[in-house]
């Protein structure tokens, strides 16, 4: 019985800790990292109230030290996926009927656990398993995940508050029902927070989840499951399986109860999911909601009026943080010829100071890229530049995978605006620059818009107000997140809702009300307090 309404806590972004020398947080995370590095963890499947350790297992190896084994994870069989979906559906009724304020309390508790007692653990797991520097781990695994959880609770109440008007002797109510079946969350390696959010956002709205994290985010995914468990999330609401992505996906997508897909990852995988849903459309009880945030080919355009230091810093931070493995990473840059020598000089000076190595050495700005396949792919692009006539390496271009998958920050200059590294997503510490004649900056914007299939993020750097207005108008559909005088990456939940269109996804803006709306199916309830008792209308008399 409800006897009161509740207010949820207001939230203004989790504060990023600095990890300065001598600080408590630095000491804690180093200790946690070292102890996790010297132990071996064994990660189960989480299915209903069972933790299942399968015989078939794979090693977890840090990308910066690939011969080191820090643990193993379970490889699921088809029966596990079937059981995970069954467990989700078994608890569905109970979870759907759990009052929203109880669901909110669970996820608020989870947020506080991450902000407090689990902070160093989730950061260390992200540093070890995904090779993030402490700063990159902190802004992702700790702060962004806390922000997702807390802001989504506020957005949930705002959605529930949105009600139709009631006129006359009736009452109109909108009930925001969870989707009728289950939601399948498939998440990428590069953000711990995305892993947590893609399941938690739909679960918060009352849905039950089958979660398949990336093979390269499993260590921090396990910490997330521990947090949800300790926060009191009923077992079975989020079921985590790890294993062959195609097998898991085929089983999930062949289930008539599939009500939604919450995906973040590469464009081709997403297109494959969409095609399978299309082919199966007559099988489902619902039209499954398909939400996918995918790849990017994110740009920086420097206007002739721009400040060269602002441009160089935006390139370095935008292209190289987390080794360029952000969907929002700057990877194609358009510079006016008049500024190029100054900007090249700045880049050379600043990049020469960048250190690369293990994330446990806090002086390192860069660490390793995620895995061998990614390393080989990036190396292939670099080697091609060394052979091709229309591109050359300005800075970097070195690589070494003897210990970890290390690639030095690389700047390419091309004379061909459609060169492969200007158009294809590379997902590594590689950025390509194209120089344009200053008086052709307007034509260059056309080029920016038409060069890539993606439309995720972009930045326009300029001191000239009119040029900013022009760029906003002419690049309207070129990026879902558009930055003026800033780098194109680093969206903060609650401040810059994130997502792009065209080949970059369905643009449902993770970390906003728009995203949560995809996980509900509203029911309108009209009640008439004075129903008519015969059919003729007055005009008929
Ligand atoms: P990925 O596409 O390789 O993997 C993403 C998920 O899909 C993983 O869980 C993976 O196991 C699964 N998967 C892989 N192949 C599959 C298949 N055939 N069928 C079903 N599932 C499959 O992506 P990744 O390398 O983990 O992440 C990098 C990609 O994610 C980049 O393209 C990046 O731009 C994108 N990304 C986008 C955003 C965004 O908000 N737009 C955010 C983060 C990452």
């Amino acid at each position: 019985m409800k006897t009161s309404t509740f207010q949820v806590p207001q939230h203004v972004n989790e504060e990023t800790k600095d990890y300065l020398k001598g600080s408590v947080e630095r000491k804690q995370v180093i200790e946690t990292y070292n102890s996790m590095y010297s132990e071996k963890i064994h990660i189960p499947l989480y299915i209903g109230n069972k933790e299942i350790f399968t015989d078939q297992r794979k090693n977890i190896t840090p990308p910066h030290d690939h011969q080191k084994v820090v643990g193993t994870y379970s490889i699921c069989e088809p029966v596990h996926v079937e059981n995970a979906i069954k467990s989700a559906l078994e608890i569905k009724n109970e979870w759907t009927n759990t009052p929203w304020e109880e669901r909110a309390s669970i996820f608020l508790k989870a947020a506080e656990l991450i902000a407090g007692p689990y902070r160093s653990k989730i950061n260390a797991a992200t540093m070890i398993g995904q090779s993030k520097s402490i700063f990159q781990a902190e802004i992702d695994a700790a702060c962004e995940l806390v922000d997702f959880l807390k802001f989504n609770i506020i957005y949930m109440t705002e959605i529930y508050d949105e009600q139709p008007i009631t006129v006359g002797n009736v009452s109109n109510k909108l009930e925001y029902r969870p989707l009728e079946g289950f939601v399948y969350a498939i998440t990428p390696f590069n953000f711990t927070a995305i892993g947590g959010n893609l399941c938690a956002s739909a679960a918060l709205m009352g849905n039950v989840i089958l979660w398949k994290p990336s093979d390269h985010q499993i260590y921090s995914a396990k910490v997330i499951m521990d947090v949800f468990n300790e926060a009191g999330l009923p077992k079975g609401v989020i079921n985590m399986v790890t294993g062959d992505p195609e097998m898991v996906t085929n089983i999930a997508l062949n289930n008539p109860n599939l009500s939604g897909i919450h995906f973040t990852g590469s464009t081709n995988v997403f297109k494959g999911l969409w095609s399978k849903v299309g082919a199966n459309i007559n099988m489902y009880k619902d039209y499954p909601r398909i939400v996918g945030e995918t790849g990017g080919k994110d740009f920086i355009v420097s206007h002739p009026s721009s400040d060269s230091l602002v441009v160089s810093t935006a390139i370095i931070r935008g292209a190289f943080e987390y080794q360029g493995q952000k969907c929002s990473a700057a990877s194609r840059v358009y510079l006016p010829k008049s500024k190029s020598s100054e900007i090249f000089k700045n880049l050379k000076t600043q990049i020469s100071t960048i250190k690369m190595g293990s994330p446990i050495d806090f002086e390192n700005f860069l660490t390793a890229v995620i895995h061998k396949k990614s390393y080989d792919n990036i190396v292939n692009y670099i080697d091609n530049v060394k052979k091709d006539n229309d591109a050359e390496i300005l800075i970097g271009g070195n690589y070494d995978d003897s210990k970890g998958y290390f690639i030095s920050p690389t700047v390419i200059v091309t004379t061909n605006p459609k060169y492969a590294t200007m158009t294809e997503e590379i997902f590594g510490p590689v950025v390509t620059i194209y120089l344009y004649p200053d008086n052709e900056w307007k034509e260059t914007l056309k080029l920016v818009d038409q060069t890539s299939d993606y439309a995720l993020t972009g930045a326009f750097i300029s001191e000239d107000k009119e040029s900013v207005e022009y760029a906003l108008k002419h690049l309207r559909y070129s990026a879902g997140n558009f930055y003026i005088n800033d780098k194109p990456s680093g969206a903060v939940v609650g401040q810059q809702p994130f997502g792009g269109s065209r080949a970059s996804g369905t643009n449902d803006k993770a970390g906003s009300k728009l995203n949560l709306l995809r996980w509900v199916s509203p029911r309108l309830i009209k009640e008439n307090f004075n129903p008519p008792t015969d059919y003729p209308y007055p005009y008929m008399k």
Side-chain angles (χ1 to χ4, degrees):
M1 181 176 57
K2 272 201 181 164
T3 53
S4 44
T5 58
F6 299 90
Q7 288 200 343
V8 297
Q10 286 308 305
H11 179 63
V12 188
N13 296 115
E14 177 65 15
E15 207 176 311
T16 311
K17 292 190 188 285
D18 287 329
Y19 295 86
L20 300 177
K21 264 192 187 141
S23 64
V24 177
E25 68 264 17
R26 184 168 171 133
K27 188 168 169 276
Q28 270 174 354
V29 81
I30 291 175
E31 274 172 20
T32 312
Y33 180 105
N34 286 335
S35 104
M36 287 163 82
Y37 215 71
S38 57
E39 285 162 13
K40 267 200 187 150
I41 189 159
H42 299 290
I43 300 177
L45 311 173
Y46 294 84
I47 299 178
N49 58 8
K50 294 201 183 85
E51 293 187 2
I52 298 167
F53 295 83
T54 57
D55 292 337
Q56 211 198 329
R57 314 196 61 75
K58 274 194 181 167
N59 289 336
I60 302 175
T61 56
H64 49 277
D65 187 4
H66 49 58
Q67 294 309 302
K68 167 90 184 164
V69 176
V70 291
T72 67
Y73 63 96
S74 302
I75 301 298
C76 69
E77 301 283 331
V79 63
H80 298 123
V81 187
E82 303 280 5
N83 287 343
I85 296 171
K86 219 165 116 207
S87 299
L89 294 173
E90 272 166 16
I91 200 166
K92 182 164 176 55
N93 208 20
E94 183 190 323
W95 183 240
T96 298
N97 288 314
T98 301
W100 69 261
E101 57 273 17
E102 277 178 38
R103 286 186 261 126
S105 297
I106 291 169
F107 288 108
L108 276 174
K109 171 83 180 168
E112 293 305 334
L113 287 170
I114 293 162
Y118 278 85
R119 194 181 199 112
S120 50
K121 197 163 190 196
I122 202 161
N123 279 339
T126 303
M127 292 164 78
I128 294 171
Q130 293 141 265
S131 274
K132 289 208 170 188
S133 68
I134 179 55
F135 180 70
Q136 293 300 316
E138 168 76 3
I139 58 174
D140 162 21
C143 298
E144 187 165 299
L145 186 48
V146 168
D147 285 348
F148 273 135
L149 294 168
K150 288 193 172 180
F151 276 117
N152 278 343
I153 288 165
I154 297 170
Y155 301 141
M156 171 178 71
T157 60
E158 288 174 2
I159 289 173
Y160 290 170
D161 278 347
E162 260 176 45
Q163 293 295 330
I165 58 166
T166 283
V167 179
N169 53 3
V170 300
S171 121
N172 295 321
K173 293 181 205 151
L174 260 188
E175 179 196 9
Y176 291 92
R177 302 171 302 179
L179 305 181
E180 203 175 351
F182 70 96
V183 172
Y184 178 34
I186 317 164
T187 60
F189 79 83
N190 66 335
F191 276 89
T192 302
I194 294 180
N197 180 51
L198 264 52
C199 2
S201 51
L204 175 69
M205 302 308 286
N207 294 283
V208 289
I209 317 293
L210 171 71
W211 178 23
K212 202 219 73 64
S214 158
D215 284 0
H216 306 277
Q217 187 255 324
I218 289 177
Y219 206 156
S220 57
K222 189 244 180 309
V223 182
I224 293 173
M225 288 308 286
D226 290 346
V227 166
F228 288 158
N229 194 15
E230 193 171 328
L233 186 71
K235 303 267 174 71
V237 171
I238 296 176
N239 302 274
M240 184 181 105
V241 295
T242 45
D244 175 7
E246 270 201 73
M247 181 273 282
V248 177
T249 297
N250 286 340
I251 294 176
L253 270 49
N254 280 324
N255 191 303
N257 294 301
L258 177 79
S259 277
I261 294 179
H262 205 184
F263 174 83
T264 297
S266 54
T267 298
N268 282 343
V269 171
F270 184 55
K271 286 185 175 171
L273 298 175
W274 196 298
S275 312
K276 282 181 187 169
V277 170
N280 286 349
I281 200 67
N282 291 322
M283 172 203 291
Y284 304 121
K285 293 183 187 159
D286 261 337
Y287 292 100
R289 303 281 169 94
I290 309 179
V291 173
E293 299 303 336
T294 63
K297 191 67 197 171
D298 311 300
F299 58 83
I300 294 178
V301 181
S302 151
H303 182 259
S305 69
S306 59
D307 176 328
S308 300
L309 275 174
V310 171
V311 176
S312 342
T313 308
I315 294 174
I316 295 174
R317 286 193 170 174
F320 301 138
E321 280 183 339
Y322 191 36
Q323 296 77 262
Q325 299 173 119
K326 296 188 184 187
C327 49
S328 56
S331 63
R332 53 185 172 125
V333 175
Y334 300 80
L335 296 185
K337 278 191 175 147
S338 65
K339 297 258 162 185
S340 60
S341 54
E342 199 183 339
I343 292 174
F344 286 179
K345 195 168 142 241
N346 292 343
L347 289 174
K348 283 178 183 162
T349 312
Q350 293 192 42
I351 292 173
S352 68
T353 65
I354 289 180
K355 292 189 178 164
M356 183 167 67
S358 162
I360 197 61
D361 178 349
F362 283 25
E363 285 192 1
N364 290 328
F365 182 70
L366 250 74
T367 74
V369 301
I370 193 71
H371 48 50
K372 172 96 176 109
K373 192 169 161 217
S374 178
Y375 175 88
D376 288 345
N377 181 42
I378 301 164
V379 164
N380 190 38
Y381 279 105
I382 292 176
D383 286 350
N384 282 342
V385 174
K386 291 175 182 167
K387 284 184 262 163
D388 291 340
N389 291 329
D390 47 358
E392 64 179 50
I393 289 171
L394 180 74
I395 302 169
N398 307 311
Y399 43 81
D400 178 359
D401 65 350
S402 48
K403 184 167 169 71
Y405 303 113
F406 291 105
I407 297 181
S408 64
T410 298
V411 180
I412 298 165
V413 181
T414 181
T415 51
N416 172 6
K418 301 277 172 86
Y419 185 68
T421 61
M422 288 294 282
T423 55
E424 295 165 22
E425 187 180 51
I426 301 172
F427 229 59
V430 176
V431 63
T432 306
I433 295 176
Y434 171 74
L435 305 182
Y436 69 85
D438 288 36
N439 61 359
E440 288 180 18
W441 71 269
K442 288 187 177 171
E443 291 78 353
T444 304
L445 295 189
K446 247 189 228 154
L447 196 60
V448 172
D449 182 59
Q450 290 166 7
T451 292
S452 156
D453 293 338
Y454 298 109
L456 190 51
T457 76
F460 187 70
I461 301 182
S462 168
E463 300 280 300
D464 173 290
K465 200 85 195 104
E466 269 180 38
S467 72
V468 172
E469 291 309 317
Y470 188 92
L472 277 173
K473 195 164 152 199
H474 288 83
L475 297 177
R476 172 165 285 149
Y477 288 100
S478 320
N481 281 47
F482 193 87
Y483 298 80
I484 300 160
N485 291 327
D486 207 345
K487 63 184 161 76
S489 62
V492 174
V493 182
Q495 296 191 40
Q496 294 99 22
F498 191 79
S501 54
R502 295 186 183 163
S504 291
T506 53
N507 201 10
D508 288 290
K509 296 289 185 213
S512 81
K513 223 181 349 178
L514 296 172
N515 178 281
L516 296 190
L517 282 168
R518 303 301 308 273
W519 312 118
V520 290
S521 177
R523 173 166 73 156
L524 182 282
I525 303 165
K526 173 185 171 185
E527 183 176 358
N528 196 332
F529 301 121
N530 187 14
T533 49
D534 63 358
Y535 86 90
Y537 287 101
Y539 78 90
M540 298 163 72
K541 291 191 181 146

